[in-house]
Amino acid sequence: MTVDVQQARRFYQGIWSRLSNPKDVAAARWIAAILLCADAFSCIVIILRVPYTEIDWVAYMQQVQSFVKGERDYSQIKGQTGPLVYPAGFLYTFTALFYATSGGSIAIAQWLFAVVYLVNQYTVMRIYIATQAVPPWTLLLLCLSKRVHSIFLLRLFNDGITMLLANIAMLLLVQRRWRLSLLLFSAALSVKMNVLLLAPPVGIVLLQATKWKDIGIGTAAAVMLQLTVGVPFLLRYPKSYLSKAFEFSRKFLYEWTVANYWLDDRAAKQGLR
């Protein structure tokens, strides 16, 4: 009996030593595979059992329909929540989703966003594993976020598409594929401008790790991508496009904030700009 207990203890200690070793890439890959399968099952349960909450999807589809009908003046592309305030990459992405969901079916969109969510999880896990900075067991934490599941599966926000592209860019950065990383970063920016919040650390990494030539070529490619996606709007209504797609003066409502709930209402409204 004592021998069996000791053997069991050594067995579990061996497992834990692998799960807590940041350098154990093989263990991390096994954990990632198991977690992705479990998370896929959780996505199915969430979609089938948790009610969808409409916030922006209908507005996205209304804006896309305006674009599909030929409107190129950004100030005139509107939905039920107001005018379009995202760069042109958003329109192209959600136009594709419009057709893929048979004109905006929420039920179909949820399953498509579940795929986007799982690909995003896979990408982030690859970043964790590649950096060997955290133990394999911490991958579990990536699957426990109620808010992330909600953003992808129950809200269908454009943040999901944006962060998938941004995280692919971060993975390429870890892999030292500097130019392609900047191109994907620009693609993420073309869907939603909040990716600019990642620009300072990305810039620091590039300045420390690569040559000016790579930064220059990558930046030129990123700018060319922005110009290319914006061409239909820049050629006809450049002021309208630039002022709406990259509206830095836009204010955000306090009731929608997450990070600033620790502030009172007045202080938050002064800072949410």
Side-chain angles (χ1 to χ4, degrees):
M1 185 69 177
T2 304
V3 174
D4 291 341
V5 171
Q6 290 177 345
Q7 288 178 341
R9 183 178 298 172
R10 284 196 295 269
F11 175 74
Y12 288 114
Q13 286 176 341
I15 292 177
W16 177 247
S17 67
R18 297 199 66 181
L19 294 179
S20 57
N21 180 7
K23 305 299 180 183
D24 195 332
V25 174
R29 287 173 177 168
W30 274 105
I31 293 297
I34 294 170
L35 289 174
L36 284 171
C37 291
D39 214 359
F41 178 75
S42 73
C43 288
I44 295 173
V45 173
I46 290 169
I47 291 173
L48 295 178
R49 301 297 297 271
V50 182
Y52 166 79
T53 301
E54 172 55 39
I55 298 179
D56 283 334
W57 176 258
V58 172
Y60 293 165
M61 294 298 99
Q62 291 169 341
Q63 291 162 352
V64 163
Q65 289 178 63
S66 180
F67 167 66
V68 170
K69 290 176 181 177
E71 182 61 69
R72 296 298 180 265
D73 184 348
Y74 244 60
S75 65
Q76 299 304 313
I77 301 179
K78 300 177 181 179
Q80 65 182 20
T81 58
L84 177 59
V85 292
Y86 306 118
F90 161 86
L91 273 180
Y92 302 140
T93 302
F94 278 82
T95 297
L97 288 171
F98 174 78
Y99 288 112
T101 58
S102 301
S105 167
I106 292 172
I108 299 175
Q110 284 186 286
W111 294 112
L112 292 176
F113 269 77
V115 174
V116 174
Y117 167 80
L118 291 170
V119 175
N120 183 68
Q121 289 290 86
Y122 168 77
T123 303
V124 176
M125 287 180 182
R126 284 196 60 182
I127 294 172
Y128 273 49
I129 295 170
T131 58
Q132 298 184 18
V134 293
W137 71 264
T138 58
L139 297 177
L140 173 63
L141 302 178
L142 295 174
C143 304
L144 299 180
S145 172
K146 177 181 177 181
R147 180 169 176 78
V148 174
H149 282 97
S150 176
I151 287 172
F152 280 86
L153 307 178
L154 302 177
R155 304 293 188 272
L156 307 181
F157 288 153
N158 59 348
D159 301 77
I161 306 293
T162 305
M163 291 316 301
L164 171 59
L165 294 171
N167 284 324
I168 294 175
M170 296 305 104
L171 177 59
L172 292 169
L173 201 65
V174 171
Q175 296 173 340
R176 297 178 176 271
R177 299 166 70 180
W178 316 115
R179 301 175 188 179
L180 192 55
S181 174
L182 284 171
L183 189 63
L184 265 292
F185 187 83
S186 181
L189 178 61
S190 76
V191 178
K192 192 170 184 179
M193 198 174 59
N194 64 345
V195 176
L196 280 176
L197 295 172
L198 300 176
V202 168
I204 292 172
V205 170
L206 290 172
L207 289 172
Q208 291 182 340
T210 189
K211 301 176 181 178
W212 282 104
K213 178 181 178 181
D214 289 320
I215 297 175
I217 294 175
T219 301
V223 172
M224 283 301 299
L225 177 63
Q226 293 298 322
L227 292 174
T228 300
V229 299
V231 160
F233 311 96
L234 291 170
L235 289 179
R236 297 180 63 181
Y237 303 97
K239 184 177 180 180
S240 175
Y241 177 69
L242 294 174
S243 64
K244 289 297 182 182
F246 303 96
E247 189 177 357
F248 292 96
S249 62
R250 183 155 50 98
K251 297 181 180 180
F252 299 91
L253 298 176
Y254 173 72
E255 52 264 32
W256 292 109
T257 186
V258 173
N260 291 294
Y261 268 132
W262 60 279
L263 297 172
D264 61 38
D265 181 74
R266 186 178 64 177
K269 286 181 177 178
Q270 290 177 348
L272 288 174
R273 301 181 185 279

